[in-house]
Amino acid sequence: MNNDHNILLEAGTNELEIVIFQAGPFLFGINVMKVREIITMLPLTPLPGTPEAIMGLIELRGEVMTVIDLPMVISHPREVGSDDRLIVCEFNGEKSVLRVDQVTEIKRISWEQIDTPSDLARGVQGITNGVVKTGDQMIILLDYERIALELSRKDIMARESVKRLGARERSNKNIWIAEDSEMLRTLILDTLDDAGYFNTTVFNNGKEALDAFEQDGVECDLLITDIEMPQMDGLHLTKRLREMERYATLPIIIFSSLISDDLKHKGEAVGANAQITKPEIGLLIATLDEFVG
């Protein structure tokens, strides 16, 4: 194994590999860590009563999975073609499939190369959490979690699980949140509010959060951070904070769709206190209570 690949096995390098693919007129990328495999089209079983973007079900080696029609999601529907591919993804322990026009390559990039979405990218139905330009290509990072959540409405179920915990006064605790997805920020803030954590500060990415932590007079009792964020990811943010003596014992919770048995060692290596898979927000509140409640 070469050194270029080895660096991706380390924690806190602020780098990632993305699978690049075409859907409609747009070039998208998705973190390779979310991709289980890429296959050609399989026979589909229609699923009545589902959103229009749900093409149906496929069976792959005994597993039944939902197929999401990405061209339909971005309002560029078209008939299935011979070059179409199915990208098998995993989110929150569940597999689902994206139908795309074609897959082009895998590319290694740094989170520093990724900017917040431009007005053009934001027009893609709000399903992007970053844009990277390499050469003459503009690649839109797909917010796969948002698509999966909106089609399944797991965000509603997640908030209901928090309400069942019951709210109590926790407003004296200062909770900082680093999360680039607008929808997930709203979900986290609303559920923290439901639970009684009213004193919150939000950052759009790890770089913004680190800049704030480096200031004098910081009042933060606990940090919740995503992993995938433009400019600086949550693993690198955690690593940088642990290198500062004043944040050596700060409770840090990683809240990400990339949490799995195969990847948890990365969060442990940089010093995270807990790692929770999105959108298990009820467990997030229970973990906050454990550290500062």
Side-chain angles (χ1 to χ4, degrees):
M1 188 177 293
N2 60 42
N3 290 334
D4 282 350
H5 189 75
N6 279 337
I7 195 169
L8 293 174
L9 301 180
E10 300 173 6
T13 63
N14 211 36
E15 291 186 305
L16 75 157
E17 282 185 331
I18 57 174
V19 176
I20 301 173
F21 57 91
Q22 190 88 26
F26 302 103
L27 202 60
F28 288 97
I30 185 171
N31 195 326
V32 74
M33 294 296 185
K34 299 177 183 177
V35 176
R36 293 297 166 257
E37 57 185 307
I38 299 168
I39 59 175
T40 56
M41 288 296 300
L42 293 176
L44 284 161
T45 301
L47 201 57
T50 56
E52 195 173 13
I54 300 294
M55 294 184 71
L57 303 173
I58 62 167
E59 183 177 354
L60 181 63
R61 291 188 294 277
E63 285 190 83
V64 177
M65 305 175 196
T66 303
V67 178
I68 299 169
D69 188 354
L70 189 58
M72 178 66 73
V73 172
I74 62 173
S75 301
H76 287 272
R78 67 170 189 78
E79 296 296 323
V80 174
S82 59
D83 291 333
D84 285 8
R85 292 293 181 267
L86 298 178
I87 303 178
V88 181
C89 306
E90 187 166 357
F91 169 54
N92 194 28
E94 296 182 8
K95 291 179 182 175
S96 59
V97 183
L98 292 173
R99 174 248 181 157
V100 303
D101 296 347
Q102 60 177 325
V103 176
T104 59
E105 62 180 314
I106 295 176
K107 186 182 290 287
R108 180 159 66 90
I109 59 174
S110 167
W111 283 106
E112 292 179 355
Q113 295 175 251
I114 301 171
D115 294 320
T116 53
S118 64
D119 290 338
L120 172 63
R122 288 182 189 276
V124 190
Q125 299 295 320
I127 59 167
T128 173
N129 53 15
V131 176
V132 58
K133 188 171 183 180
T134 61
D136 59 352
Q137 293 181 323
M138 186 179 76
I139 302 166
I140 300 169
L141 290 189
L142 186 70
D143 192 347
Y144 167 64
E145 290 88 341
R146 176 165 187 161
I147 296 173
L149 281 171
E150 288 192 340
L151 291 175
S152 67
R153 305 313 299 154
K154 285 183 178 179
D155 54 336
I156 294 175
M157 292 185 287
R159 286 198 64 191
E160 288 302 316
S161 71
V162 171
K163 289 177 180 178
R164 286 194 294 270
L165 291 175
R168 65 175 189 267
E169 182 60 43
R170 301 172 171 100
S171 61
N172 63 322
K173 302 300 181 181
N174 294 286
I175 309 300
W176 285 20
I177 302 155
E179 170 61 65
D180 66 308
S181 169
E182 183 177 351
M183 188 191 76
L184 267 298
R185 284 199 303 270
T186 300
L187 172 61
I188 293 170
L189 288 173
D190 286 348
T191 48
L192 288 180
D193 190 75
D194 288 341
Y197 286 105
F198 305 121
N199 196 357
T200 55
T201 303
V202 180
F203 303 94
N204 294 324
N205 58 61
K207 180 66 167 58
E208 285 186 8
L210 182 63
D211 289 344
F213 273 114
E214 289 176 337
Q215 303 302 309
D216 295 330
V218 170
E219 294 185 5
C220 175
D221 294 301
L222 182 143
L223 170 67
I224 301 168
T225 180
D226 188 15
I227 291 180
E228 298 180 288
M229 295 180 289
Q231 301 300 308
M232 182 180 294
D233 70 22
L235 293 172
H236 191 68
L237 170 62
T238 303
K239 180 180 178 181
R240 293 285 297 274
L241 290 175
R242 291 303 189 224
E243 292 170 350
M244 304 180 195
E245 185 177 352
R246 57 177 164 161
Y247 300 122
T249 60
L250 174 72
I252 300 177
I253 299 174
I254 294 178
F255 187 52
S256 168
S257 60
L258 289 180
I259 305 303
S260 68
D261 291 340
D262 293 335
L263 297 175
K264 274 190 174 181
H265 70 278
K266 290 192 173 187
E268 294 167 355
V270 295
N273 297 89
Q275 301 177 74
I276 299 171
T277 302
K278 292 177 181 175
E280 297 292 341
I281 199 114
L283 180 57
L284 177 64
I285 299 300
T287 306
L288 258 71
D289 287 345
E290 178 184 343
F291 285 108
V292 298

